[in-house]
Amino acid sequence: MSDKQHIVELLAAHGIIPTRQRIDLAHILLAKPQHLSAEQLMEAAWADGDHHVSKATVYNTLNLFVERGLIREIIADPTKSFYDSTTTEHGHLYNVDTGELMDIPASGNHPGLLAALPEGVTPIGVEIVVRVKNSC
Amino acid sequence: MSDKQHIVELLAAHGIIPTRQRIDLAHILLAKPQHLSAEQLMEAAWADGDHHVSKATVYNTLNLFVERGLIREIIADPTKSFYDSTTTEHGHLYNVDTGELMDIPASGNHPGLLAALPEGVTPIGVEIVVRVKNSC
DNA sequence: GTCAGTGCAAACCCTTTGCAGAAAG
DNA sequence: CTTTCTGCAAAGGGTTTGCACTGAC
């Protein structure tokens, strides 16, 4: 299907050798804007595909995708990472009770961040982290 | 010393029963604006105090302090948490190479976040997480 | 004397790693 | 063929937990 072909080209464009497992995982991840934990992706792959993907391969693949800029790692929960299929800059809303991670459609306007909270939730705090690395 | 007395009152004001270990840890944490990991706090307590504080107590105490709003937990690294003695709203700069966590003095003005980076570092990305909980 | 806090070690959980077998070109 | 990826299981590391002991009032 052309869908798979598109994924193959996308992986190649990011310098990633397309293997069956990587294509399956990318297919699930990039299907729509979403945030999946490693575990959720594993379960989705297991449910969706006819193929088997091991835990190690899921983690290896996620790290590779993040490194190559195909997806973004979101550090919102100290116990697990989320992976975001949307790589453009945007904020997130994390519900510590439900473990739900949502996009914040708003701009980077700080005071506006808390303006449009969903109903039924109470803000705990806003965290802004600029991640940097040594230049060389 | 009046310093310790001040800590005792601060803990009590947050509904925390002041014990020797909690006073010691609070004394180290709140001495100045800083970000310490659990491990760093443990080492500081071991070096600084004449008393012994166990690992379990350090973690229990940190969680209690965060819960009571005495300090803030900073989730910048997927492998460990940092604890911030400054509870007012401000951003952070995290160097993934050195593990160094710094305050961003700037306001919440988003475009300004990347303006005043220290020398020798390259930005990887900006992450904004609004943490919420269910209202009841 | 009672209740909460502390300490030790073991358990936990997510993530990474080592290495043998499989796959791709 | 040769190189890279995959899978399994075991290791790793920060954090939490169970339970007996200690300490405060």
Side-chain angles (χ1 to χ4, degrees):
Chain A
M1 54 177 84
S2 72
D3 194 22
K4 293 275 180 186
Q5 188 52 39
H6 172 245
I7 298 280
V8 169
E9 287 165 6
L10 192 59
L11 292 179
H14 285 261
I16 301 170
I17 298 173
T19 65
R20 202 200 63 217
Q21 288 84 345
R22 289 172 180 175
I23 294 169
D24 283 356
L25 294 175
H27 185 246
I28 296 170
L29 265 170
L30 304 175
K32 59 181 178 185
Q34 61 183 335
H35 319 89
L36 296 177
S37 64
E39 192 185 6
Q40 290 173 327
L41 177 59
M42 225 171 340
E43 287 169 359
W46 193 81
D48 192 71
D50 349 66
H51 312 306
H52 179 70
V53 183
S54 77
K55 189 189 290 190
T57 297
V58 169
Y59 279 105
N60 288 340
T61 302
L62 283 171
N63 285 338
L64 180 66
F65 285 3
V66 168
E67 194 184 308
R68 295 300 216 282
L70 202 63
I71 59 177
R72 260 170 66 118
E73 181 181 16
I74 307 297
I75 305 171
D77 186 307
T79 71
K80 60 170 171 281
S81 289
F82 286 91
Y83 297 88
D84 191 345
S85 58
T86 305
T87 54
T88 56
E89 244 180 59
H90 63 284
H92 291 102
L93 203 68
Y94 183 60
N95 187 320
V96 298
D97 284 328
T98 64
E100 210 177 350
L101 188 63
M102 286 169 287
D103 279 344
I104 295 178
S107 69
N109 190 0
H110 195 181
L113 284 176
L114 294 176
L117 283 182
E119 288 187 31
V121 300
T122 307
I124 299 173
V126 180
E127 201 160 305
I128 299 180
V129 177
V130 178
R131 224 168 297 280
V132 302
K133 63 182 176 64
N134 289 337
S135 292
C136 273
Chain B
M1 51 178 86
S2 71
D3 194 23
K4 294 275 180 183
Q5 187 54 37
H6 173 246
I7 298 280
V8 170
E9 287 165 7
L10 192 60
L11 292 179
H14 285 262
I16 300 170
I17 297 174
T19 66
R20 201 201 63 218
Q21 287 85 345
R22 289 173 179 175
I23 294 170
D24 282 356
L25 293 176
H27 185 246
I28 295 170
L29 265 171
L30 304 175
K32 59 181 179 186
Q34 63 183 335
H35 319 90
L36 296 177
S37 64
E39 192 185 5
Q40 289 172 328
L41 177 58
M42 227 170 340
E43 287 170 359
W46 194 81
D48 191 71
D50 349 66
H51 312 306
H52 178 71
V53 183
S54 77
K55 189 189 289 191
T57 298
V58 169
Y59 279 104
N60 287 340
T61 302
L62 283 171
N63 285 338
L64 180 66
F65 284 3
V66 169
E67 194 185 310
R68 295 299 215 281
L70 202 63
I71 58 178
R72 261 170 66 117
E73 181 180 16
I74 307 298
I75 305 172
D77 185 308
T79 71
K80 59 169 172 281
S81 289
F82 286 92
Y83 297 89
D84 191 343
S85 58
T86 304
T87 55
T88 57
E89 244 178 59
H90 63 284
H92 292 102
L93 203 68
Y94 183 59
N95 188 320
V96 298
D97 285 326
T98 64
E100 210 177 350
L101 188 63
M102 284 169 287
D103 279 342
I104 294 178
S107 69
N109 191 1
H110 195 180
L113 286 175
L114 294 175
L117 284 182
E119 287 186 31
V121 300
T122 306
I124 299 173
V126 179
E127 201 161 306
I128 300 180
V129 176
V130 178
R131 223 168 296 281
V132 302
K133 63 181 174 68
N134 289 337
S135 294
C136 272

